[in-house]
Amino acid sequence: MPEGIRPTQNVLRAAIFDLLGHDFSGLSFLELFAGSGAVSLEAISRGADTVVMVEHNDLNAKTIRENCELLDIQLGGNFSLVHGDAFATVKSLSEEGKRFDIVFFDPPYPEKLAKKTLKLLTSRDILHPQSLVCVQYEASENLEIPEDFSVLTQRKYGASYLTVLQRVGV
């Protein structure tokens, strides 16, 4: 784990998969601000069919590659790492016609990017009807829920909120 990275805590990671379910067979999963890739790697271990990890930081992207090697996960094909900006990548994925069943993001807290990221996801067509969006963000950030989403659950874990949204009415 690179120094300075704030990995998704084990309790939060367990909560995410308790809320989302344990069988990801046949599902597509997108993780923005992937950090070490731990959440995506967990999705792969639970049978996700397609996983895209997006990480801008060079050292974090290198760590994701190393973690994949350690777990014998081949990048390319169904499991990929995009070493680039999350916002540009969402736009690019949209233009390529990519769609995801589950999107998870946990942006760097000091930058307060949760609201901006959620807004971008709703403005680009990368979600299936009924897709789930799981957001981890600092408790001090005010997350505005878009009108075409319902809150399935929202829980506080220390200084973090974990909110799971589902796309509705599409």
Side-chain angles (χ1 to χ4, degrees), residues 20 29 36 49-50 56 66 74 90 101 114 119 146 162:
L20 297 178
F29 186 87
S36 68
D49 187 49
T50 304
H56 186 260
E66 290 170 354
Q74 299 298 315
V90 168
D101 298 303
K119 186 174 182 176
L162 178 64

Side-chain angles (χ1 to χ4, degrees), residues 6-138:
R6 180 188 42 79
T8 301
Q9 301 167 359
N10 288 341
V11 68
L12 263 170
R13 197 164 50 247
I16 291 164
F17 290 98
D18 285 344
L19 295 169
L20 297 178
H22 295 280
D23 183 8
F24 277 40
S25 298
L27 298 178
S28 55
F29 186 87
L30 170 64
E31 182 180 10
L32 303 171
F33 312 101
S36 68
V39 174
S40 288
L41 297 173
E42 184 75 21
I44 291 169
S45 78
R46 292 173 186 266
D49 187 49
T50 304
V51 174
V52 176
M53 298 169 269
V54 181
E55 178 53 53
H56 186 260
N57 179 281
D58 294 339
L59 184 56
N60 293 352
K62 179 181 179 220
T63 299
I64 291 170
R65 283 189 200 93
E66 290 170 354
N67 287 341
C68 287
E69 286 175 21
L70 285 170
L71 297 170
D72 201 27
I73 295 170
Q74 299 298 315
L75 290 175
N78 288 351
F79 308 131
S80 61
L81 167 63
V82 177
H83 184 177
D85 178 75
F87 300 105
T89 301
V90 168
K91 291 174 186 174
S92 176
L93 291 168
S94 172
E95 290 165 3
E96 293 170 20
K98 304 285 186 189
R99 304 289 177 272
F100 296 91
D101 298 303
I102 301 171
V103 177
F104 172 79
F105 62 96
D106 177 14
Y109 285 179
E111 297 176 39
K112 301 208 180 282
L113 296 174
K115 185 179 359 179
K116 180 179 178 182
T117 305
L118 187 57
K119 186 174 182 176
L120 178 65
L121 288 173
T122 60
S123 71
R124 294 292 176 157
D125 191 21
I126 67 164
L127 302 172
H128 293 297
Q130 307 300 312
S131 286
L132 299 175
V133 176
C134 189
V135 187
Q136 183 182 338
Y137 56 100
E138 190 172 36

